């Protein structure tokens, strides 16, 4: 036996996959427990219809699905395949959906999955039951298909068992033992099992298990309707289980699959039906299985009517059976993976559907065995990504139900989130409302995108209108605010960005160990630096300001940065980390006239000599004490001005009163994004993620390999000489051809990369798109095309930054 003692709770598709993957990597002292029988344990895997559509806006989710397809295609049980690769077909019955499947085709091209756009006749050739007159076209993915979930569970159980893994059926988990902040065992109704690591793969029971260690999972089991027809005369004599592609009719929230001479029908169009994990029946109490609830025929009536319209052959059949089957939903639609922040050794792999199950098994196995995941970028899936308010029962229930309702909706990348809103507001919120702010949500904060009060600024300016899709949640005011920032001065609300405070006698050494840049510098220094994983991948980019000998302020990207710092704290208590975001606020004061606004308000010297670029100091702005950092994410002279939340409104009013006579404006996030792309500044989570290293991403300047050891240094030294792809700036001449991100980039007919961030540059007068490309195509002047719905948009690789390459405006 090898490796630590691992107990996996749950033997569904996720638990079985993890047991298989982790044992294949040499950890064989593994026990899997489940309250139900094997291999059909009674959870969601046991009733799952098995449709595997790989198409997803998320690169990570697509890659998890692709691995699941590849693995399941190689598995069989006693000669029976675990995957029927019949292909997947999505059909459009409206012009809006036709455009949407063109966009989805672009995602697949971006992520390297073969797919084809079909006309209506070609759709009928693939799936002859579809009414030709109802559809406008479709999207076909040849590698999609039907996962035989229970068979896949059995196949993976057999493989893991051969390596020494124990599977214990009919073992209900009653408690998780822990001592001194780490797990020590699992208590079942058959006794206790010692453990160094416990992984919760309990699916719809996940919240109940996680609460045993005080962990709050933002997961809700929701019922989803699945029905089966009796024999369909047009399918009489079909002896194979599935011959037609799995089918999605997303305009009506429906999907379909073959079952010999009948059809399975899945429906998301009904009312949300949430169920508490505590109210799910036990295996012995359930009439059929715990994850199956009574079919509510009245909820299914619209689905059956629409099915008979799309598939006329079903008019000669009847719905003979149906269930309301429970599946897990989360607040943002992504799985919950990772280790508890409070209890070491307690891990979760939750809210995972069959589609992504084998991929998640591999990801978590790598994470456990190697300390990081090398196959997938998991920042979207990390269970520690949430802000505290996002774990509240009211929030979780509302957003999980919303995600159920929207599961097949056409969602714009800037689609406003639903209730509950507002949740977090900066001290400037009332002033922003008075100026007609259009708000979107950022980490729960209401963040202005633009201000209607600036509408008069548009007059006389050349602000091109983008295409209809890009123009949603956009206003020409955005362009006016961006141009006004470059011309005079603007106030930006930067409160939504997370702020951490690192203190203690060991703080400098602690940050030196975690950061790629030199941190142990003079008081007042500010450093742009990176956090890396052990494989050299970028976990975040942060700014670190040394405000006192033993006190640093970190400008972070989100809760995962706080989690990363917390996990690496020294055991001797010489360092403390706390989130100070809620008690503070920040105004970005930027533009060529920024000093003329600020200096008359302060006794401290804000000249270029008095506070140089990337330096910080304490000062008073009028009556308000601030921490002023000479930073600018928009590429203009200016400062980030921090104060406590109680004095934020006074700071805003003081600055605004001084800026107005100089033609100053207040500006929103859309202008900010345009300006930062003109300057070539990267955004973590969009432009660069865990899968990228600094040299690929164009931030190698933030790495100081001559400093003492830091996390990821050894890996970087290996990776530096082998840069095969680069984050690259593309420009677009057509002013209406504004793209939004995730579109494929083509060299001729070959998809060679994908767009990350994009916006129109109102100063440079061009569309801007950053994209990941092979290094050989990242040379300035290279002409490429971006796939945008059914168009190919001309783009050219440009030198960066596009604006102020000499940095004269920033350093003036």
């Amino acid at each position: 036996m090898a490796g630590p003692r691992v107990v996996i709770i749950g033997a569904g598709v996720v638990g079985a996959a993890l047991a298989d993957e982790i044992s294949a990597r040499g950890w064989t002292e593994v026990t899997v427990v489940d309250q139900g029988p094997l291999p059909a344990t009674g959870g969601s895997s046991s009733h799952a219809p098995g449709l595997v559509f790989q198409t997803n806006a998320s690169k990570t989710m697509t890659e998890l699905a692709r691995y699941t397809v590849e693995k399941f295609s190689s598995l069989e049980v006693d000669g029976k395949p675990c995957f029927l690769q019949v292909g997947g077909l999505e059909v459009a019955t409206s012009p809006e959906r036709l455009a949407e499947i063109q966009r989805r085709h672009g995602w697949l091209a971006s992520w390297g999955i073969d797919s084809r756009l079909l006309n209506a006749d070609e759709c009928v050739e693939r799936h002859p039951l579809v009414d030709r007159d109802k559809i406008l076209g479709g999207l076909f993915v040849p590698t999609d298909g039907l996962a035989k979930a229970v068979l896949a569970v059995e196949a993976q159980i057999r493989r893991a068992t051969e390596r020494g893994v124990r599977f214990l059926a009919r073992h209900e988990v009653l408690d998780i033992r822990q001592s001194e902040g780490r797990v020590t065992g699992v208590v079942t109704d058959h006794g206790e099992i010692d453990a160094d690591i416990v992984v919760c793969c309990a699916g719809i029971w996940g919240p109940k298990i996680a609460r045993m260690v005080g962990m709050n999972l933002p997961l809700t089991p929701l019922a989803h309707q699945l029905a089966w027809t009796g024999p369909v005369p047009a399918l009489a004599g079909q002896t194979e289980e599935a011959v037609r592609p799995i089918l999605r009719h997303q305009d009506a929230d429906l999907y379909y699959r073959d079952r010999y001479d009948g059809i399975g029908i899945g429906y998301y169009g009904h009312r949300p039906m949430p169920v508490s994990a505590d109210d799910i029946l036990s295996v012995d109490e359930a009439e059929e299985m715990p994850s199956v609830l009574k079919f509510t025929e009245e909820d299914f009536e619209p689905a059956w009517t629409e099915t008979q319209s799309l598939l006329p052959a079903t008019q000669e059949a009847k719905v003979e059976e149906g269930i309301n089957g429970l599946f897990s939903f989360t607040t943002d639609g992504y799985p919950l993976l990772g280790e508890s922040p409070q209890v070491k050794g307690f891990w979760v792999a939750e809210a995972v559907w069959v589609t992504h199950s084998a991929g998640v098994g591999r990801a978590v196995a790598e994470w456990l065995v190697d300390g990081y995941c090398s196959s997938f970028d998991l920042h979207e899936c990390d269970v520690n990504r949430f802000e505290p308010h996002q774990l509240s029962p009211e929030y979780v229930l509302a957003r999980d139900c919303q995600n159920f309702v929207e599961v097949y909706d056409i969602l714009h990348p800037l689609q406003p989130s639903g209730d509950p809103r507002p949740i977090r507001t900066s001290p400037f919120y009332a002033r922003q409302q008075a100026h007609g702010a259009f708000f979107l949500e950022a980490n729960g904060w209401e963040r202005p995108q633009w201000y209607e009060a600036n509408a008069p600024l548009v007059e006389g300016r050349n602000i091109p209108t983008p295409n209809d899709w890009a123009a949603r949640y956009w206003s020409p005011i955005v362009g006016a605010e961006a141009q006004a920032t470059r011309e005079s001065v603007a106030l930006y609300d930067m409160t939504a960005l997370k702020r951490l405070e690192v203190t203690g006698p060991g703080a400098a050494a602690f940050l030196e160990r975690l950061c790629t840049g030199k941190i142990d510098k003079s008081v007042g220094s500010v450093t742009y630096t990176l956090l890396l994983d052990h494989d050299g991948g970028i976990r975040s980019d942060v700014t670190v300001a040394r405000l006192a000998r033993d006190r640093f302020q970190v400008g972070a990207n989100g809760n995962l940065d706080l989690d990363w710092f917390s996990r690496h704290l020294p055991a001797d208590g010489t360092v403390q980390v706390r989130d100070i975001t809620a008690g503070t606020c920040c105004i970005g004061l930027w533009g060529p006239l920024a000093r003329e606004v600020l200096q008359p308000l302060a006794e401290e010297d804000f000249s270029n000599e008095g506070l140089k670029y990337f330096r910080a100091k304490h000062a008073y702005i009028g009556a308000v004490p601030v921490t002023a950092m000479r930073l600018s994410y928009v590429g203009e002279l200016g400062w980030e001005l921090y104060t406590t939340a109680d004095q934020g409104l006074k700071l805003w009013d003081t600055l605004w009163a001084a800026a107005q006579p100089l033609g100053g404006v207040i500006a929103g996030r859309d202008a900010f994004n345009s300006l930062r792309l003109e300057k070539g500044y990267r955004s973590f989570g969009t432009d660069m993620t865990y899968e990228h290293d600094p040299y690929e991403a164009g931030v190698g300047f933030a790495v100081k390999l001559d400093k003492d050891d830091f996390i990821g240094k050894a890996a970087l030294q290996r990776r530096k000489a082998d840069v095969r792809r680069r984050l690259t700036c593309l420009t677009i001449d057509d002013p209406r051809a504004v793209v939004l991100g995730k579109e494929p980039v083509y060299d001729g007919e070959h998809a060679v990369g994908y767009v990350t961030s994009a916006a129109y540059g109102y100063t440079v007068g061009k569309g801007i798109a950053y994209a990941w490309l092979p290094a050989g195509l990242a040379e300035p002047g290279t002409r490429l095309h971006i796939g945008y719905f059914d168009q190919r948009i001309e783009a050219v690789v440009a030198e960066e930054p596009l604006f102020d390459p000499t940095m004269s405006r920033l350093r003036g």
Side-chain angles (χ1 to χ4, degrees):
M1 306 292 270
R5 298 167 299 178
V6 179
V7 175
I8 298 172
I9 301 172
V13 282
V14 181
L18 176 57
D20 180 35
E21 295 283 344
I22 203 170
S23 60
R25 285 162 176 77
W27 283 17
T28 55
E29 197 166 343
V30 178
T31 302
V32 184
V33 298
D34 199 292
Q35 63 184 341
L38 299 177
T41 63
S44 300
S45 304
S46 300
H47 74 257
L51 288 80
V52 176
F53 288 95
Q54 298 166 84
T55 313
N56 199 291
S58 164
K59 182 173 185 281
T60 296
M61 296 298 279
T62 298
E63 290 177 340
L64 291 169
R66 172 165 44 197
Y67 181 77
T68 301
V69 167
E70 292 170 355
K71 183 175 184 181
F72 282 10
S73 296
S74 70
L75 298 178
E76 62 175 35
V77 175
D78 300 332
K80 293 178 288 187
C82 294
F83 192 75
L84 307 178
Q85 201 157 53
V86 293
L89 176 64
E90 298 181 11
V91 293
T93 60
S94 66
E96 295 79 12
R97 185 65 63 177
L98 186 64
E100 171 70 359
I101 64 173
Q102 291 164 349
R103 184 168 71 119
R104 295 167 71 80
H105 174 62
W107 296 339
L108 291 164
S110 292
W111 316 145
I113 302 285
D114 179 40
S115 66
R116 302 159 203 172
L117 290 170
L118 307 181
N119 61 34
D121 290 331
E122 291 169 324
C123 290
V124 174
E125 287 177 17
R126 297 280 182 184
H127 202 299
L129 298 188
V130 173
D131 184 350
R132 164 66 178 79
D133 295 334
K134 286 275 293 183
I135 61 173
L136 302 178
L139 173 65
F140 181 67
V141 182
T143 52
D144 286 348
L146 280 171
K148 307 291 291 179
V150 174
L151 276 182
V153 167
E154 185 172 358
Q156 292 175 104
I157 286 176
R158 290 185 181 185
R159 287 164 37 133
T161 301
E162 289 174 358
R163 303 187 193 105
V165 174
R166 282 196 308 165
F167 285 83
L168 303 178
R170 294 285 185 174
H171 278 59
E172 181 182 359
V173 174
L174 304 177
D175 198 8
I176 310 293
R177 293 280 188 237
Q178 48 187 303
S179 175
E180 298 181 351
R182 69 172 308 117
V183 297
T184 60
V186 174
V187 180
T188 77
D189 56 354
H190 290 270
E192 186 168 339
I193 306 168
D194 293 336
D196 304 303
I197 294 171
V198 174
V199 188
C200 177
C201 303
I204 54 178
W205 292 278
K208 184 177 179 179
I209 299 296
R211 279 201 306 273
M212 295 177 182
V213 296
M215 189 176 185
N216 189 4
L217 286 186
L219 179 161
T220 303
L222 281 116
H224 156 61
Q225 291 200 302
L226 176 65
W228 301 95
T229 72
V232 177
L235 305 182
Q238 181 174 319
T239 57
E240 293 181 65
E241 180 178 352
V243 296
R244 279 162 292 279
I246 54 176
L247 177 67
R248 280 205 279 207
H249 175 25
Q250 297 190 86
D251 280 325
D253 298 302
L254 286 161
Y255 63 78
Y256 305 95
R257 56 150 295 177
D258 287 5
R259 187 173 71 169
Y260 301 103
D261 62 352
I263 294 174
I265 307 167
Y267 186 43
Y268 288 105
H270 54 79
R271 61 193 167 91
M273 302 182 219
V275 176
S276 169
D278 295 315
D279 294 334
I280 301 171
L281 297 177
S282 69
V283 172
D284 293 327
E285 292 172 323
E287 185 175 332
E288 183 174 349
M289 64 179 75
S291 61
V292 169
L293 306 182
K294 184 179 179 181
F295 187 57
T296 49
E297 294 182 11
E298 64 278 9
D299 289 306
F300 194 72
E301 286 177 5
W304 183 233
T305 299
E306 181 61 28
T307 295
Q308 291 175 306
S309 176
L310 182 71
L311 309 175
T314 60
Q315 295 173 14
E316 300 181 64
K318 294 181 179 180
V319 174
E320 292 198 346
E321 55 182 305
I323 63 170
N324 287 6
L326 295 178
F327 289 100
S328 299
F329 281 78
T330 62
T331 57
D332 57 8
Y334 291 106
L336 307 174
L337 312 179
E339 188 180 22
S340 161
Q342 288 87 28
V343 181
K344 293 184 182 301
F346 184 82
W347 290 66
V348 298
E350 287 290 341
V352 181
W353 293 5
V354 173
T355 299
H356 310 103
S357 59
V360 165
R362 177 174 181 173
V364 175
E366 290 179 352
W367 200 349
L368 286 167
V369 175
D370 301 329
Y372 59 89
C373 177
S374 58
S375 296
F376 309 98
D377 162 36
L378 296 181
H379 85 275
E380 293 172 315
C381 306
D382 193 314
V383 70
N384 296 296
R385 64 190 181 269
F386 300 102
E387 296 291 322
H389 74 273
Q390 293 171 322
L391 300 175
S392 71
E394 178 186 352
Y395 182 94
V396 170
L397 180 61
R399 291 294 172 88
D400 289 358
C401 289
Q402 178 185 339
N403 278 331
F404 177 89
V405 170
E406 294 179 347
V407 70
Y408 278 176
D409 285 1
I410 298 171
L411 299 177
H412 192 275
L414 296 177
Q415 187 96 6
S417 54
D419 290 334
R421 280 184 68 190
I423 297 177
R424 308 174 83 182
T425 57
S426 78
F428 327 128
Y429 184 60
R431 299 290 188 267
Q432 293 165 342
Q433 286 180 305
H435 282 84
F438 176 79
F439 292 100
L440 293 179
E441 185 185 352
N443 294 326
W445 294 95
E446 295 295 318
R447 184 166 66 185
Q449 299 296 108
W450 67 83
Y451 296 88
E452 289 295 333
N454 288 329
L457 289 175
V458 178
E459 187 70 29
R461 296 179 183 272
N462 179 24
I463 309 293
T465 300
N467 58 81
D468 291 346
W469 182 251
R472 294 191 189 185
Y473 314 111
W474 174 89
S475 166
I477 296 169
V478 170
E481 291 177 357
Q483 291 178 357
T485 303
R486 297 258 188 252
E487 296 162 0
S488 56
V489 63
L491 277 67
Y492 287 83
D493 181 1
M494 303 299 289
T495 303
L497 299 181
K498 185 172 281 291
R499 293 170 290 285
L500 307 178
E501 184 179 72
V502 182
T503 57
F510 169 74
L511 289 168
E512 285 284 350
R513 171 68 178 149
L514 266 65
C515 297
T516 61
K518 184 70 175 173
I519 306 300
D520 193 3
K521 299 185 290 189
S522 63
V523 172
S525 64
V526 183
T527 306
Y528 173 81
T529 186
L530 307 173
L531 308 178
L532 303 182
D533 216 327
H534 295 274
D535 66 344
I538 301 170
R539 288 196 63 95
S540 190
D541 64 336
V542 299
T543 55
V544 180
R546 190 170 202 170
L547 303 181
R549 177 176 174 80
D550 294 338
R551 181 165 63 91
F552 298 79
Q553 182 172 311
V554 178
N557 281 299
N559 212 56
L560 289 180
D561 293 343
L562 174 60
D563 181 68
W564 185 251
F565 280 1
S566 299
R567 290 183 187 281
H568 289 86
L569 286 172
D572 60 8
T574 57
V575 184
Q576 298 80 44
V577 177
R578 68 185 185 104
D579 184 349
I580 62 171
T581 310
T584 58
C585 59
C586 178
I587 296 173
L589 179 72
W590 294 313
L593 303 183
R595 187 172 283 122
E596 294 181 40
V597 172
L598 193 63
Q599 188 61 77
L601 301 173
E603 293 185 1
E604 290 80 2
D605 184 3
F606 280 95
S607 69
N608 196 40
E609 294 73 27
L611 187 63
K612 294 183 181 295
Y613 186 54
F614 264 79
R615 296 289 296 179
K617 68 178 177 182
H618 299 292
Y620 285 92
I621 306 302
V624 180
V626 302
T627 299
M629 299 186 194
R630 191 168 167 197
L631 311 176
S632 173
Y633 208 47
V634 301
E636 293 291 340
L637 169 68
W639 298 267
E640 293 179 357
L641 302 170
Y642 298 89
T643 191
T644 52
D646 61 325
Q647 299 185 78
L649 186 58
K650 180 64 174 176
L651 178 62
W652 178 279
D653 288 344
T654 301
L655 293 170
W656 181 231
Q660 279 183 285
L662 299 175
V665 301
I666 53 176
R669 184 68 181 185
D670 275 1
F672 176 92
N673 195 49
S674 170
L675 296 169
R676 70 103 178 164
L677 286 176
E678 289 184 330
K679 192 59 183 164
Y681 292 147
R682 277 64 168 147
S683 175
F684 176 79
T686 303
D687 298 317
M688 53 191 186
T689 67
Y690 295 3
E691 67 176 302
H692 306 116
D693 71 44
Y695 306 110
E696 299 171 327
V699 288
F701 64 87
V703 177
K704 307 303 179 188
L705 287 175
D706 59 347
K707 63 173 275 189
D708 289 340
D709 195 25
F710 56 85
I711 293 174
K713 180 179 179 180
L716 276 194
Q717 290 172 321
R718 295 190 298 269
R719 295 175 69 156
K720 185 177 181 180
D722 188 26
V723 176
R724 301 181 184 183
R725 58 183 175 179
R726 293 192 183 277
L727 183 61
T728 307
C729 180
L730 303 175
T731 58
I732 303 165
D733 287 336
D734 183 350
R736 281 188 54 80
V738 175
V739 300
L740 297 179
K742 303 188 177 181
E743 297 87 358
V745 179
Y746 290 92
D747 179 25
E749 292 303 309
H750 301 287
V752 292
Y754 59 92
V755 174
T756 58
S757 295
Y760 189 79
Y762 297 99
T763 311
V764 301
K766 292 178 181 290
I768 306 169
Y770 272 77
W772 280 101
L773 296 174
L777 294 175
E779 294 299 320
T782 303
R783 296 195 169 275
L784 302 164
H785 287 85
I786 298 173
Y788 188 67
F789 293 91
D790 60 344
Q791 306 170 37
R792 295 287 177 91
I793 296 171
E794 293 184 3
V796 62
V797 175
E799 291 273 9
E800 58 170 325
L802 300 173
F803 179 78
D804 189 27
T806 65
M807 304 282 282
S808 60
R809 293 174 75 101
L810 276 169
R811 297 180 182 276

